[in-house]
Amino acid sequence: MRTTAFHLVTRKETPQDAEIISHQLMIRTGMIRKLGAGLYTWAPLGMRVLQKVEQIIREEMNAAGGLEMLMPAVQPKELWQETGRIDDFGGQLLAIHDRAMRDYFFGPTHEEVITDFVRNEINSYKQLPINFYQIQTKFRDEIRPRFGVMRSREFIMKDAYSFHLSQESLEHTYQSMKQAYTQIIDRIGLDFRCVLADSGAIGGSGSQEFHVIADSGEDAIMYSDSGEYAANLEKCEAVNLIATRKDAAQALNKVSTPGQKTIDELSEFLGVTSDQTIKTLLVEGTEKPVALVIRGDHNLNEIKAVNLTAVASPLRMLNDEEIKSLTGCDAGSIGVKGLNATIIVDRTVANMSDFICGANENDFHLTGVNWDRDADFDSVEDLRDAMEGDPSPDGVGVLREARGIEVGHIFQLGNKYSTAMNAVVLNEQGKSQAMEMGCYGMGVTRMVAAAIEQNHDDKGIIWPANIAPFQVAILPMNYLKSERVKRAADELYESLNAQGVEVILDDRKVRPGFMMSDFELLGIPHQVIIGDRSLDENQVEYRNRSDMESIKISRDTIESMLVEKIRA
RNA sequence: CGGGGUAUAGCGCAGCCUGGUAGCGCAACUGCUUUGGGAGCAGUGGGUCGGGAGUUCGAAUCUCUCUACCCCGACCA
């Protein structure tokens, strides 16, 4: 490709509304352009990268036995009524209608469509197991799209769905998908972790996420510093930090704490550390209000909370009025003694003794509070976020925290959809049986952004070799005036092309500094600078984008050297 | 969904307070010079000032309204 025949429009300045580096660089290189909130055009440059990622995914999915297909992006509302998932997805569903006012959704995911397909196509256990996938545009009407294609509304996803007669078969395919995902991200060249995850609106039993490690990641992931355990913070088990509850040493005492509302204010006022206090959080319950109790220095894990049967979904904190009428005090003075609510305590809280909590009376707190003697709870659950330094739940090592970008998520769905939609097969006994199902998603467009988050410097992108839009850039100095330079550049360009190397030759009429800055921004892995200066010695100059060190190479060997580096 | 902000040329902005017929930088185009680290000079093109309504002799500017986009927030107990 010659730049004059390509569409290359770079910007020197950082766009004003791009907050994270991948978004900035994708705009500056011209890979993408914004059309509206969460809507992006992929220009030819970006498209080349996108297609590389898609191709790697395709190859690994095919190798793992996946069968590629394509389903409609637009889905009849009736399908979603069959599974009752309209409420689960809520406002994220983009509702549309046709001229006859029939209702449709633009698909955010395709469990319903594939299950409908399969219930009509698959009738016998002999056709199982089977694993279908597609690479397709989805739309999720995010509350707040941001970070460019990292969290856009319209995006491209690879989604796969497997069907099985037995749980064992499902687990087998699940493991092979896990392996395929690992190989995909390895081939793309990114540093990632596979972590335990909550299955959220998709549902089902087991699920794991694949996170590309990056400081800008929207998810917190916890991992053992010396073991195998790794989980999304949402899902990470938080262990009991107090082995056994000590006997009460203090008498119950009501103290005046005027104006002390937050845990930090309270513990400073009383001269204690926050781990001697507890927080009582009042939320809407399925039957009556629920008090979720965690230690003062801990954070409530909303996913864990909302998964409790006593807690209403979605999670809603009681408002000031409700708190006042239930406890007689304002938020800031709520405590567990004499509280008229279902009291659920975190594991660590259950073993606390001589602790401090609100007195259910404004400007008063209780110290020396002890379970059984002063207050009771209804049940003990894992309610809090795990923290860095906690023992790992599997007993090996200590937890560390990292930020991750979720690029893949695999689920064992069981028969949730097949039962709801009556997707059954005849088994070996000739009996009708609901199929077991798995689903496996991967964010293709997000993967591109994640790759940039992990591979850039202050000059621009540093593409991993396997997804670079071009492998080699030929940068001729004074191409339009120097016949010698032009000939050398054209020759190398033609012969690399002939060997199937993806090469871009910059034949624009631009000054050298401009050209070199542009290709540093674009991040092409191998760059060859051809100028009269080095041609005098029958040499050209080679630079690798990752270190940018200039090496003089003989004209006779540059081509074979490049081919060797690319094939390596 | 709640709160805040912005909207003027492809991009980034000024002008608005105090109404008088739109400007700067970058980018683009032409010419000349320059040619190994984002060149210089000269010139050129490009704007229903987000939409609608109102006030006024006159509105980018004042008023009302709609829309779009951006940011922040949804654990004080």
Side-chain angles (χ1 to χ4, degrees), chain A residues 432-476:
Chain A
S432 185
Q433 182 184 329
M435 284 178 265
E436 296 294 318
M437 188 174 168
C439 81
Y440 319 93
M442 183 166 264
V444 183
T445 39
R446 181 181 284 179
M447 188 80 77
V448 175
I452 296 171
E453 285 296 322
Q454 215 174 65
N455 296 282
H456 65 270
D457 61 16
D458 56 354
K459 293 189 168 67
I461 302 172
I462 306 173
W463 285 114
N466 288 341
I467 60 168
F470 297 95
Q471 294 159 327
V472 177
I474 299 174
L475 310 182

Side-chain angles (χ1 to χ4, degrees), chain A residues 63-234:
Chain A
L67 302 172
E68 187 167 7
M69 66 185 306
L70 184 61
M71 291 179 264
V74 174
Q75 310 178 6
K77 184 180 181 183
E78 287 72 25
L79 270 184
W80 285 73
Q81 287 168 334
E82 281 192 57
T83 56
R85 272 214 298 178
I86 294 175
D87 287 343
D88 292 344
F89 259 83
Q92 284 203 20
L93 280 171
L94 176 66
I96 50 184
H97 59 75
D98 65 10
R99 66 177 82 200
M101 298 305 284
R102 285 181 287 248
D103 292 310
Y104 298 88
F105 295 123
F106 196 107
T109 179
H110 278 65
E111 283 81 9
E112 281 80 2
V113 179
I114 191 72
T115 305
D116 178 69
F117 175 79
V118 164
R119 69 182 165 185
N120 294 321
E121 295 283 322
I122 306 278
N123 307 302
S124 160
Y125 74 94
K126 292 176 190 169
Q127 294 169 287
L128 300 180
I130 196 158
N131 188 3
F132 297 105
Y133 78 94
Q134 62 174 347
I135 295 175
Q136 190 204 36
T137 297
K138 310 290 187 203
F139 192 97
R140 294 183 185 175
D141 198 356
E142 295 281 349
I143 297 174
R144 193 137 91 83
R146 57 188 142 175
F147 305 145
V149 297
M150 190 75 84
R151 179 169 295 282
S152 54
R153 296 196 295 176
E154 188 176 306
F155 60 99
I156 297 174
M157 174 164 138
K158 187 284 300 175
D159 46 327
Y161 307 90
S162 70
F163 294 84
H164 311 267
L165 191 65
S166 67
Q167 173 67 22
E168 294 70 45
S169 170
L170 168 58
E171 281 171 21
H172 183 263
T173 297
Y174 182 87
Q175 288 306 326
S176 73
M177 282 294 101
K178 183 175 169 181
Q179 183 59 29
Y181 274 39
T182 300
Q183 283 168 214
I184 288 166
I185 310 175
D186 273 342
R187 277 183 64 185
I188 290 170
L190 305 182
D191 177 24
F192 73 99
R193 272 182 181 271
C194 174
V195 307
L196 298 171
D198 185 75
S199 46
I202 305 289
S205 49
S207 85
Q208 285 167 293
E209 291 167 348
F210 289 78
H211 283 264
V212 169
I213 304 301
D215 289 340
S216 59
E218 290 193 87
D219 285 288
I221 61 180
M222 309 299 296
Y223 62 95
S224 165
D225 63 353
S226 52
E228 291 294 300
Y229 187 87
N232 190 308
L233 178 64
E234 290 176 355

Side-chain angles (χ1 to χ4, degrees), chain A residues 386-398:
Chain A
M387 290 200 303
E388 203 156 18
D390 282 0
S392 177
D394 66 354
V396 184
V398 168

Side-chain angles (χ1 to χ4, degrees), chain A residues 119-414:
Chain A
R119 69 182 165 185
N120 294 321
E121 295 283 322
I122 306 278
N123 307 302
S124 160
Y125 74 94
K126 292 176 190 169
Q127 294 169 287
L128 300 180
I130 196 158
N131 188 3
F132 297 105
Y133 78 94
Q134 62 174 347
I135 295 175
Q136 190 204 36
T137 297
K138 310 290 187 203
F139 192 97
R140 294 183 185 175
D141 198 356
E142 295 281 349
I143 297 174
R144 193 137 91 83
R146 57 188 142 175
F147 305 145
V149 297
M150 190 75 84
R151 179 169 295 282
S152 54
R153 296 196 295 176
E154 188 176 306
F155 60 99
I156 297 174
M157 174 164 138
K158 187 284 300 175
D159 46 327
Y161 307 90
S162 70
F163 294 84
H164 311 267
L165 191 65
S166 67
Q167 173 67 22
E168 294 70 45
S169 170
L170 168 58
E171 281 171 21
H172 183 263
T173 297
Y174 182 87
Q175 288 306 326
S176 73
M177 282 294 101
K178 183 175 169 181
Q179 183 59 29
Y181 274 39
T182 300
Q183 283 168 214
I184 288 166
I185 310 175
D186 273 342
R187 277 183 64 185
I188 290 170
L190 305 182
D191 177 24
F192 73 99
R193 272 182 181 271
C194 174
V195 307
L196 298 171
D198 185 75
S199 46
I202 305 289
S205 49
S207 85
Q208 285 167 293
E209 291 167 348
F210 289 78
H211 283 264
V212 169
I213 304 301
D215 289 340
S216 59
E218 290 193 87
D219 285 288
I221 61 180
M222 309 299 296
Y223 62 95
S224 165
D225 63 353
S226 52
E228 291 294 300
Y229 187 87
N232 190 308
L233 178 64
E234 290 176 355
K235 180 75 174 178
C236 184
E237 189 180 341
V239 301
N240 191 334
L241 297 177
I242 303 174
T244 50
R245 192 196 300 169
K246 291 190 183 126
D247 291 338
Q250 300 174 11
L252 184 65
N253 189 20
K254 183 166 150 188
V255 295
S256 172
T257 52
Q260 310 303 312
K261 290 182 187 299
T262 70
I263 289 291
D264 286 345
E265 289 166 1
L266 177 70
S267 36
E268 191 182 331
F269 181 82
L270 294 177
V272 299
T273 51
S274 55
D275 61 3
Q276 291 171 262
T277 68
I278 61 169
K279 291 196 265 207
T280 308
L281 310 172
L282 294 174
V283 301
E284 187 180 3
T286 43
E287 285 170 17
K288 62 177 195 167
V290 174
L292 300 172
V293 186
I294 55 178
R295 202 169 73 180
D297 59 328
H298 289 158
N299 286 326
L300 177 68
N301 182 307
E302 295 191 10
I303 302 285
K304 291 174 183 175
V306 82
N307 285 341
L308 299 175
T309 49
V311 173
S313 175
L315 187 71
R316 187 181 71 81
M317 308 295 280
L318 296 193
N319 62 35
D320 294 345
E321 261 172 44
E322 291 167 317
I323 290 173
K324 188 89 181 176
S325 76
L326 185 74
T327 65
C329 70
D330 295 325
S333 299
I334 307 170
V336 290
K337 182 171 162 57
L339 186 62
N340 179 26
T342 304
I343 298 180
I344 301 176
V345 301
D346 179 63
R347 294 162 169 180
T348 298
V349 171
N351 277 1
M352 287 174 73
S353 50
D354 297 325
F355 56 83
I356 297 166
C357 70
N360 292 324
E361 184 179 338
N362 280 348
D363 295 334
F364 285 95
H365 282 77
L366 300 177
T367 65
V369 184
N370 283 275
W371 295 117
D372 302 338
R373 187 189 73 184
D374 309 315
D376 295 296
F377 51 76
D378 295 284
S379 63
V380 180
E381 298 286 352
D382 175 10
L383 289 180
R384 68 178 178 97
D385 282 339
M387 290 200 303
E388 203 156 18
D390 282 0
S392 177
D394 66 354
V396 184
V398 168
L399 290 178
R400 295 278 170 246
E401 184 178 335
R403 305 299 298 182
I405 300 164
E406 183 190 343
V407 294
H409 199 161
I410 59 178
F411 302 80
Q412 292 182 34
L413 297 173

Side-chain angles (χ1 to χ4, degrees), chain A residues 1 29-30 38 53 61 355 429 450 560:
Chain A
M1 184 66 69
T29 55
V53 172
M61 288 301 295
F355 56 83
Q429 287 76 44
S560 54

